[in-house]
Amino acid sequence: MSSALPIYLTDKMPVNYISEKAVLCFKDEAAYIVLEESESENLRRIQKAGRQLDNQGIKQLAPMGDGWDKERQWALSLGYTSTLSTNKVQWHEGDKAVTEQLQHMSDVYRFARELVNLSAEEIYPLSLAERVANHLTELAPEHVSYEIIKGDELKDAGWMGIYTVGRASQHIPAMLVVDYNPTGDANAPVESALIGKGITYDSGGYSIKPSEGMLSMKCDMGGAATVSGALSLAIRNGLNKRVKLFLCCAENMIDGRAYKLGDVITYKNGTTVEVVNTDAEGRLVLADGLQAAGEAGAKQVIDAATLTGAAQMAVGNEYNALFSIDDQAATKALNCAVQQGEALWRLPLASWHAENCPSAFADTANSRPQKGGGAGGASNAAGFLLRFAPNDGKGWLHFDLAGAYQKSATAMWPVGATAMGVRTIAATITD
């Protein structure tokens, strides 16, 4: 095995033939990252340097010298890890506690990224549920129990959103319910519920996507990967509260049994929903997860989903979007995002957004019959979910994961999953 390349931080370019705008240079069999005055810009420069080092085929890095705090090492790791690489950062030996935290984060992010990056042939509803259940059980076997409700069992249990969206696939739909209870009290209250959109492949259904739009749709279970990773990280960080995880897993496919435009779904709580767009399926499955969280009596409810292109249009791929009608809960999440170094931006949501997808045949439609759901599509999608949020939306947070997946490489990120949001959600349920 080759030795690791030493990498140093400096405030002055150590060679005079490199452009002053360069973030990285090499000298005396070592690499140097040139810093500036702004720490936020420094983290960006370090992550960019990690991408450049990965692209050059360097297999191991060893941060050396002064200045390598936790966030700087993490920025290097984020840029240095790509889809197929087995790259390794040898963490700086300055602080053993920091080294342990970084290794926890690295292990969790590799797990979450792999779930998203693997093909739909490998990650389908049941395999997603089983992988996550096994991962969490191995992590805390004495505190984790789980149930997988699948196929026609979903219909019998009243989880009609997941059942309806997934019934046309050869891979049966499933809901994973994980109970993490470290209290030792079987009657302990559920402090938080995490809900993840687990659409392992999204063809769009009869509202079929164009070919180029389908290429990356193995990533449509990014919400499930994010909340699973968040719970994994929180457990590693000593989470001592009871948390339930609900993954809403299905493939949105087409055959003679597929749900159609004009169909009306009757949910467990009696709400009726007219389908005006089968490609607005994520909110249909999340509605089941939100009702399940309500049944569990969770005080804090967080859902995460690669839900709308409208959120990406609003915040780009550099941020995740946050929706809530609970200002206190939203402020807490935004503060956690700042502390964890993740980009999160709150977009508008008011109670009246729940009325923005009217139907003449049901209580609501699942979208507007317009491309992208029309103006305010991300807020209207969140408004649909608000109908199913427990406690009239108090304590509820909806993450629309615009930054969860990169369709092409950038200076900061490789192609594929980013796992952005894992740290923020983990901190939000731990705090």
Side-chain angles (χ1 to χ4, degrees):
M1 182 179 292
S2 61
S3 59
L5 174 71
I7 183 163
Y8 295 87
L9 300 173
T10 181
D11 58 4
K12 185 177 180 181
M13 187 67 72
V15 290
N16 60 12
Y17 51 82
I18 298 291
S19 166
E20 293 182 358
K21 296 181 180 181
V23 299
L24 180 69
C25 69
F26 297 87
K27 182 181 179 182
D28 300 330
E29 297 184 347
Y32 293 81
I33 301 174
V34 184
L35 302 183
E36 295 185 348
E37 293 185 6
S38 166
E39 183 57 17
S40 61
E41 180 58 28
N42 285 338
L43 294 176
R44 288 178 56 83
R45 292 174 72 84
I46 292 169
Q47 188 168 337
K48 287 179 180 179
R51 287 300 316 125
Q52 293 179 29
L53 291 163
D54 178 50
N55 286 332
Q56 292 181 37
I58 296 167
K59 298 299 183 184
Q60 292 189 64
L61 296 177
M64 305 288 285
D66 298 330
W68 285 107
D69 62 19
K70 184 179 81 170
E71 295 304 328
R72 287 178 173 183
Q73 292 185 74
W74 184 240
L76 179 67
S77 176
L78 285 178
Y80 187 54
T81 304
S82 63
T83 308
L84 298 176
S85 72
T86 56
N87 293 345
K88 181 179 180 182
V89 177
Q90 296 181 6
W91 309 115
H92 197 280
E93 297 180 353
D95 187 326
K96 289 185 178 179
V98 168
T99 298
E100 183 178 355
Q101 291 173 25
L102 286 166
Q103 193 56 52
H104 286 335
M105 289 156 61
S106 180
D107 291 343
V108 167
Y109 270 58
R110 283 189 182 273
F111 165 71
R113 280 175 154 179
E114 181 183 52
L115 285 179
V116 178
N117 286 334
L118 286 174
S119 72
E121 189 69 18
E122 297 171 278
I123 299 293
Y124 46 89
L126 268 181
S127 72
L128 172 59
E130 290 167 351
R131 280 180 184 243
V132 171
N134 291 338
H135 173 85
L136 295 173
T137 301
E138 291 172 6
L139 187 61
E142 68 280 14
H143 300 318
V144 169
S145 59
Y146 70 89
E147 175 187 15
I148 299 176
I149 307 165
K150 59 184 185 292
D152 288 341
E153 296 171 0
L154 291 162
K155 184 178 182 181
D156 296 338
W159 304 127
M160 294 304 298
I162 302 171
Y163 173 79
T164 300
V165 170
R167 71 191 185 201
S169 174
Q170 64 173 329
H171 296 299
I172 59 174
M175 175 190 279
L176 171 66
V177 182
V178 174
D179 187 355
Y180 171 73
N181 186 3
T183 67
D185 178 6
N187 297 314
V190 177
E191 296 293 333
S192 299
L194 299 176
I195 304 157
K197 174 186 172 183
I199 301 296
T200 56
Y201 192 77
D202 183 16
S203 70
Y206 278 110
S207 304
I208 192 168
K209 294 177 182 288
S211 178
E212 61 273 15
M214 267 193 248
L215 179 59
S216 59
M217 280 301 102
K218 64 181 182 180
C219 83
D220 214 18
M221 37 65 65
T226 299
V227 292
S228 300
L231 181 54
S232 178
L233 182 58
I235 292 171
R236 294 166 198 259
N237 288 341
L239 178 66
N240 59 7
K241 304 172 185 178
R242 187 176 186 182
V243 175
K244 284 200 170 185
L245 173 74
F246 301 92
L247 299 189
C248 308
C249 308
E251 276 190 338
N252 189 19
M253 304 294 280
I254 303 170
D255 78 353
R257 299 179 66 238
Y259 74 123
K260 301 170 289 298
L261 283 78
D263 286 355
V264 174
I265 303 171
T266 301
Y267 278 87
K268 195 172 186 179
N269 65 359
T271 299
T272 56
V273 176
E274 181 190 7
V275 177
V276 302
N277 184 352
T278 62
D279 197 22
E281 84 297 329
R283 64 201 73 178
L284 295 176
V285 302
L286 288 175
D288 284 338
L290 289 166
Q291 290 172 96
E295 289 184 0
K299 300 176 183 178
Q300 176 178 241
V301 177
I302 299 173
D303 75 69
T306 49
L307 201 66
T308 66
Q312 288 184 319
M313 292 297 291
V315 301
N317 292 120
E318 292 77 25
Y319 282 79
N320 286 330
L322 175 69
F323 297 85
S324 182
I325 60 168
D326 186 331
D327 291 340
Q328 184 176 357
T331 298
K332 175 183 175 182
L334 291 166
N335 288 338
C336 285
V338 171
Q339 294 164 8
Q340 299 301 318
E342 292 191 321
L344 181 66
W345 197 264
R346 189 178 181 185
L347 291 180
L349 180 64
S351 297
W352 50 262
H353 278 103
E355 309 298 328
N356 269 17
C357 297
S359 167
F361 301 96
D363 295 325
T364 183
N366 70 326
S367 184
R368 287 179 172 177
Q370 303 169 29
K371 184 176 182 180
S379 294
N380 295 338
F384 175 91
L385 295 177
L386 179 58
R387 287 178 171 269
F388 298 90
N391 306 317
D392 296 321
K394 182 176 174 57
W396 169 61
L397 298 167
H398 164 53
F399 287 77
D400 198 329
L401 301 174
Y405 191 87
Q406 298 289 332
K407 294 182 180 180
S408 58
T410 70
M412 298 280 290
W413 297 101
V415 176
T418 66
M420 184 192 298
V422 165
R423 290 183 65 183
T424 296
I425 295 174
T428 302
I429 64 172
T430 303
D431 184 13

